[in-house]
């Protein structure tokens, strides 16, 4: 067991400990000692006003490196970038209203805030201030902004404050800060980047096949599962193109190509499939479309129209027929009867590597729901994923696709275990 009593992420981690100018700054000495005992390499950074509350000599003696306070240190020309890059974790304890505001606004007015802006390491902010300040909307809003950006915030304790008042605003004790630090490091380590260097092409949503100028044939697909797969893949480091009939937010490494019909989807996929390592056809592509859609709105007074249907291009089967070695094709089968049997048949007939079968007649499963339950079939195995969020199903589908890719290429693809930046 390590001295922190935690899982040991702090052991040999480089921790920049930012100390801002509040009365709780004196507690930074104890925190530094505990971090060093937990095996961390601690680099303390004090704001100018923190130095009024705690002597730099005290912290320098307890920490692994001498205290830094200035952006303009003659020995180290750009201390904030080197500190930010070296850090595995930045802790700000105590964090004052000013430092929180400067960090949220991106105002690199001192070494501490400049380091916070220059780092890609996880950041743990531990606010400590008088209750009135803690409850001020400006502070609340700034913390909400930081949280939204992925900063970890440890809420202050309620208790006796400077001046004898009692209320929320006290810096939690060192043991709690260490626990939160372990959790922040664990969360960062848990973010997989196992799809980095890979290209994914994902389709989502039901296609809409025009009947006339205003009507179309479609299905109940919401596109949620396809969107979840695209988002999860981008977060795991892949370059993703999402061809979708439903609106989707583009993001870092996530391009969205809007389409409507099976024909448009087929063209968008054809133009991008060649360079894709993994293609996931999660879209519910219409199997038939009106042969001759009317260019104008059909009128009721002209009688009930006879709509002649013709088959749409089977995109997945086309990709399966033209599949290049080392590419993984994933299809979906939304079924109402023998789901696994149908999925197995489609795995063969479409030339896919994986077929994800789901029973769309079951409650909370498939079309429209936020949850799903699927069987992921490969040529050699069947993995049952019980009722889970579409995000969790997405992760399971990506895990299976990555396994197939590794097997097809005879080695690990992309870069493994890279930390998320
Ligand atoms: O044949 P069925 O529509 O049941 O097959 C479902 C799978 O095939 C899904 O992955 C779907 O995206 C794909 N598909 C396709 N082109 C079609 C019909 C289905 O790519 N025209």
């Amino acid at each position: 067991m390590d001295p922190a009593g935690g899982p040991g992420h702090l052991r040999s981690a480089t921790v920049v400990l930012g100390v801002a100018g509040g009365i709780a700054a004196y507690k930074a000495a104890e925190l530094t000692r505990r971090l060093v005992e937990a095996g961390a390499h601690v680099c303390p950074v004090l704001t100018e006003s923190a130095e009024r509350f705690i002597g730099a000599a005290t912290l320098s003696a307890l920490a692994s490196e001498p205290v830094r306070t200035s952006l303009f240190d003659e020995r180290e020309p750009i201390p904030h970038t080197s500190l930010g890059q070296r850090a595995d974790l930045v802790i700000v304890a105590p964090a004052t209203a000013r430092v929180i505001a400067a960090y949220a606004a991106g105002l690199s007015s001192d070494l501490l805030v400049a380091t916070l802006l220059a780092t890609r390491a996880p950041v743990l902010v531990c606010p400590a201030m008088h209750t009135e300040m803690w409850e001020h909307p400006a502070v609340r809003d700034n913390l909400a902004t930081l949280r939204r950006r992925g900063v970890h915030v440890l809420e202050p304790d309620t208790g006796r404050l400077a001046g004898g008042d009692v209320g929320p605003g006290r810096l939690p004790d060192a043991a709690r800060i260490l626990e939160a630090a372990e959790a922040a490091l664990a969360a960062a380590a848990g973010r997989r980047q196992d799809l980095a260097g890979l290209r994914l092409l994902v389709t989502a949503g039901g296609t809409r096949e025009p009947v006339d100028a205003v009507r179309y044939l479609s299905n109940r697909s919401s596109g949620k599962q396809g969107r979840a797969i695209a988002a999860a893949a981008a977060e795991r480091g892949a370059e993703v193109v999402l061809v979708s009939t439903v609106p989707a937010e583009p993001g870092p490494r996530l391009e969205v190509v809007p389409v409507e019909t099976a024909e448009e989807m087929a063209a968008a996929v054809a133009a991008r499939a060649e360079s894709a390592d993994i293609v996931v056809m999660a879209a519910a592509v219409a199997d038939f479309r009106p042969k001759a859609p009317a260019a104008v709105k059909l009128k009721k007074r002209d009688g009930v129209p006879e709509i002649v249907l013709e088959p749409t291009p089977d995109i997945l089967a086309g990709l399966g027929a033209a599949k290049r070695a080392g590419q993984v094709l994933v299809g979906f089968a939304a079924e109402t009867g023998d789901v696994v049997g149908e999925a197995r048949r489609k795995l063969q007939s479409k030339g896919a590597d994986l077929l994800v079968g789901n029973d769309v007649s079951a409650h909370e499963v498939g079309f429209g729901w936020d949850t799903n339950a699927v069987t992921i079939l490969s040529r050699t195995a069947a993995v049952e994923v019980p009722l889970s969020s579409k995000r969790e199903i997405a992760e399971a589908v990506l895990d299976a696709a990555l396994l197939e890719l590794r097997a097809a290429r005879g080695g690990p693809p992309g870069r493994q275990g890279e930390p998320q930046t």
Side-chain angles (χ1 to χ4, degrees):
M1 190 86 152
D2 73 276
H9 290 285
L10 280 168
R11 198 175 306 124
S12 67
T14 297
V15 176
V16 171
L17 174 61
V19 182
I23 181 68
Y26 79 91
K27 295 184 181 172
E30 167 73 359
L31 180 59
T32 302
R33 195 179 61 76
R34 296 286 298 268
L35 285 167
V36 170
E37 275 175 11
H41 180 93
V42 181
C43 314
V45 174
L46 265 61
T47 64
E48 220 173 90
S49 51
E51 278 190 292
R52 294 172 181 251
F53 290 98
I54 184 163
T58 312
L59 278 195
S60 290
L62 292 168
S64 320
E65 294 188 14
V67 161
R68 290 176 178 80
T69 50
S70 171
L71 270 164
F72 307 102
D73 185 334
E74 277 172 17
R75 293 161 300 160
E76 211 177 12
I78 37 174
H80 58 296
T81 45
S82 75
L83 273 177
Q85 285 162 0
R86 276 200 294 137
D88 296 306
L89 174 70
V90 181
I91 303 176
V92 187
T96 56
R98 185 196 69 79
V99 164
I100 291 167
Y103 183 22
L107 281 172
S108 58
S109 41
D110 58 24
L111 177 59
L112 175 54
V113 182
T115 304
L116 285 165
L117 298 180
T119 195
R120 290 184 168 186
V123 174
L124 171 65
V125 165
C126 308
M129 61 198 74
H130 230 77
T131 303
E132 288 82 352
M133 293 173 80
W134 168 246
E135 289 175 349
H136 194 282
V139 175
R140 316 302 302 179
D141 286 354
N142 287 331
L143 282 169
T145 300
L146 294 181
R147 279 197 171 102
R148 206 176 54 243
R149 294 177 187 158
V151 171
H152 302 267
V153 178
L154 179 64
E155 295 270 319
D157 282 344
T158 297
R160 183 170 288 278
L161 305 169
D165 293 340
V166 174
R170 255 170 85 95
L171 186 70
D173 62 25
R176 294 240 342 266
I177 297 174
L178 254 71
E179 247 174 55
E182 282 284 359
L185 283 168
R191 270 185 245 131
R192 291 178 287 177
Q193 288 288 280
D194 54 358
L195 299 180
L198 297 178
R199 290 176 185 276
L200 264 85
L201 179 58
V202 182
T203 63
T207 62
R208 288 186 286 272
E209 309 301 332
V211 170
D212 66 10
V214 295
R215 302 179 180 94
Y216 57 78
L217 297 183
S218 192
N219 56 62
R220 295 185 190 282
S221 169
S222 62
K224 287 180 184 171
Q225 187 63 78
R227 273 195 317 220
I229 291 169
E235 277 180 32
R236 284 167 70 165
E239 291 292 332
V240 184
V241 178
L242 174 64
V243 177
S244 180
T245 64
V246 292
E249 279 286 306
R253 295 191 297 273
L254 176 56
E255 184 196 344
V256 179
V257 179
V259 294
E260 202 162 315
T261 63
E263 192 79 42
E264 288 169 10
M265 185 172 279
V269 167
R272 294 165 178 85
E274 179 63 30
S275 60
D277 299 289
I278 299 173
V279 182
V280 184
M281 283 294 306
V285 186
D287 291 322
F288 314 105
R289 67 182 170 211
K291 193 168 184 174
V296 295
K297 185 185 172 193
L298 297 172
K299 294 276 188 272
K300 209 170 8 180
R301 64 169 179 269
D302 295 333
V304 179
E306 275 201 9
I307 302 167
V308 179
L309 299 177
E310 66 176 2
T312 53
D314 191 320
I315 306 169
L316 182 57
L319 292 175
K323 196 166 91 78
R324 63 173 167 79
Q327 185 180 54
V328 169
L329 282 186
V330 185
F332 272 68
E335 305 294 339
T336 52
D338 174 14
V339 177
V340 173
E342 272 305 300
R344 186 151 305 286
R345 197 185 57 72
K346 282 179 186 170
L347 183 73
Q348 301 292 343
S349 69
K350 302 210 180 213
D353 301 288
L354 292 174
L355 222 297
V356 184
N358 65 321
D359 181 353
V360 288
S361 61
H363 191 62
E364 293 185 316
V365 172
F367 288 166
W369 296 98
D370 289 325
T371 46
N372 211 351
V374 300
T375 306
I376 305 173
L377 290 178
S378 70
R379 289 193 196 99
T380 52
V383 177
E384 296 260 349
V385 190
L387 192 69
S388 316
S389 69
K390 287 195 168 170
R391 177 58 188 235
E392 285 166 304
I393 301 279
E395 301 286 1
V397 170
L398 291 171
D399 289 346
L402 189 53
L403 269 180
E404 283 293 315
L405 195 72
R406 284 181 181 154
R409 296 185 177 180
R415 289 169 295 149
Q416 299 294 303
E418 289 272 304
Q420 178 150 313
T421 55

